[in-house]
Amino acid sequence: MTDMIKVMVVDDTITYRQILSKVVETLDHAELAGTASSGKTALMKIPTIKPDVIFLDVMMPDMDGIETLYNIKKDFPNIAVVMVSAFDMENAKATLESLENGALDFIAKPVAQNMADGIAQFQTALTPIVSLLFHEKYPNANLTTRARQQIFVARESTEAPSAPSVRTEASSIKGKVDLVTIGISTGGPNALHSLFIGIPEVLPCPVLIVQHMPPMFTQSLAERLSSVSKMDITEAVDGEIAHPGHVYIAPGGKHLLAKRQGTGFSLSVTDTPPVNHCKPAVDVLFKSVSEIKNINVLSLILTGMGRDGTEGIKDLKAKGTFTIIQDEKTSVVWGMPGSVHESGNYDEML
């Protein structure tokens, strides 16, 4: 096959360079174009290698991932960069800063007992990213079956889908909103930053968010968002009561659910299996909210890979929930909102 995504791996640790290189060689539509052991070396090699995407380690000596990313985006703005981050708070904070400075996405370094398990975890994380980039670079090329299953975009072509079946000109939010729910994934940190920095006052209801992220990263995300918002934004805690004007983010690696308690809502954080290959999963939260009686909900599906949230929105719409989806133009990946658009279960696209 001549149509391939050229990948460059940059990591100061030889073990991870080897693992990532092996993974790239197993991915459909990807070829390993080169590796580098430092940010400075990577910047020197890029003009010769001409990669489509760089898998970039966050923490490196001399020139770390953030500085390397800055230089890549300055000199080679069309190259996609995916940050590769370890599971600790320092890496989490640096990774979120990288996303704010132009990185497409990030993946967490595997916590595995052996190289085979590590390779498998990297394969799961990288396959949809490579599939997305391949689809964008070669929109008329055929994806393999495995890649198509991972491509996460509901529609098959770049043509605009037909108008939604449920939207009417008279669509409007009726009455006081009791709860806002948001589902989001790839491109989420920047979208949420833009959303909350633009809300001029404290909302008179709780806001619940599922952002696809691993543990520790959601805590850093909550702290960063809270610093720019007029509302308090924290990770959800099992058993706590959701207060008006407060924003709760599902902890990475756990599901978030809500149920009625008195005149308000209590939150549950559970360690049940992934749904839609996601944990936390949007569908888990949305389905739990759909089971609450006498509630007026505003739900948003924003930028993200996959179809997570589509079934949950269907259940919420059946209960009269007003739903907004993000448009394709402003989405980093129009997978989740695109899937809801395909289903027709939304009221506005903004």
Side-chain angles (χ1 to χ4, degrees):
M1 180 185 294
T2 56
D3 294 339
M4 300 287 276
I5 291 297
K6 297 174 67 175
V7 179
M8 183 179 190
V9 173
V10 183
D11 198 303
D12 64 301
T13 305
I14 187 170
T15 301
Y16 279 111
R17 286 203 308 277
Q18 291 175 338
I19 291 175
L20 273 169
S21 296
K22 288 180 181 292
V23 170
V24 171
E25 291 168 354
T26 69
L27 298 179
D28 297 328
H29 312 299
E31 64 177 357
L32 183 65
T35 66
S37 59
S38 70
K40 291 180 179 179
T41 303
L43 293 170
M44 288 189 293
K45 286 186 173 184
I46 287 172
T48 302
I49 293 175
K50 295 182 172 64
D52 297 300
V53 60
I54 297 173
F55 296 143
L56 178 62
D57 187 22
V58 172
M59 293 296 179
M60 296 183 293
D62 299 327
M63 181 183 288
D64 65 14
I66 296 175
E67 185 179 355
T68 304
L69 171 68
Y70 171 81
N71 284 283
I72 292 171
K73 286 301 174 182
K74 178 170 63 75
D75 297 332
F76 313 99
N78 293 326
I79 296 176
V81 180
V82 176
M83 308 306 293
V84 184
S85 176
F87 274 100
D88 62 54
M89 194 57 65
E90 185 179 6
N91 270 271
K93 291 179 178 178
T95 299
L96 289 172
E97 184 177 345
S98 298
L99 295 175
E100 292 172 1
N101 286 281
L104 170 66
D105 202 354
F106 79 96
I107 59 171
K109 290 185 175 181
V111 180
Q113 298 297 319
N114 53 62
M115 183 174 288
D117 288 344
I119 288 175
Q121 290 179 36
F122 266 138
Q123 285 174 325
T124 299
L126 293 177
T127 294
I129 294 172
V130 168
S131 298
L132 169 68
L133 294 171
F134 178 81
H135 188 67
E136 289 183 343
K137 185 175 181 179
Y138 305 107
N140 298 319
N142 291 323
L143 290 165
T144 65
T145 300
R146 181 173 68 166
R148 184 170 296 282
Q149 290 171 346
Q150 295 274 354
I151 194 60
F152 29 76
V153 180
R155 56 197 171 80
E156 294 292 330
S157 70
T158 57
E159 297 178 3
S162 58
S165 59
V166 301
R167 183 176 180 180
T168 68
E169 292 301 322
S171 291
S172 62
I173 301 174
K174 296 178 175 62
K176 171 178 169 288
V177 173
D178 301 304
L179 189 66
V180 175
T181 60
I182 300 174
I184 190 165
S185 185
T186 309
N190 287 350
L192 291 171
H193 184 277
S194 296
L195 179 66
F196 284 104
I197 203 171
I199 297 175
E201 57 191 47
V202 175
L203 298 181
C205 65
V207 180
L208 309 182
I209 299 175
V210 170
Q211 159 76 61
H212 294 161
M213 273 188 168
M216 279 190 256
F217 292 85
T218 44
Q219 181 181 335
S220 290
L221 175 63
E223 292 172 356
R224 294 179 83 87
L225 292 177
S226 193
S227 70
V228 301
S229 175
K230 293 185 180 299
M231 293 180 282
D232 290 328
I233 303 177
T234 59
E235 266 193 335
V237 176
D238 185 48
E240 72 178 321
I241 302 299
H243 295 289
H246 197 112
V247 182
Y248 303 87
I249 299 178
K254 301 288 181 65
H255 292 305
L256 176 64
L257 301 88
K259 63 181 179 181
R260 175 73 75 183
Q261 182 158 326
T263 58
F265 310 97
S266 66
L267 305 179
S268 297
V269 175
T270 67
D271 198 17
T272 51
V275 174
N276 304 318
H277 307 289
C278 301
K279 190 176 179 182
V282 180
D283 274 341
V284 171
L285 173 62
F286 283 18
K287 284 178 178 289
S288 73
V289 173
S290 73
E291 295 171 359
I292 301 174
K293 296 180 180 179
N294 302 318
I295 182 174
N296 199 16
V297 183
L298 169 63
S299 289
L300 288 72
I301 293 287
L302 307 181
T303 177
M305 295 184 187
R307 300 175 60 90
D308 188 27
T310 301
E311 291 303 313
I313 282 291
K314 180 180 177 182
D315 291 344
L316 284 169
K317 284 298 295 176
K319 299 294 182 69
T321 291
F322 192 92
T323 300
I324 298 172
I325 60 172
Q326 186 172 350
D327 65 7
E328 182 175 13
K329 182 179 179 180
T330 62
S331 297
V332 173
V333 182
W334 207 55
M336 287 164 52
S339 178
V340 175
H341 188 286
E342 179 82 4
S343 75
N345 289 316
Y346 72 99
D347 297 286
E348 284 198 69
M349 179 166 62
L350 303 174

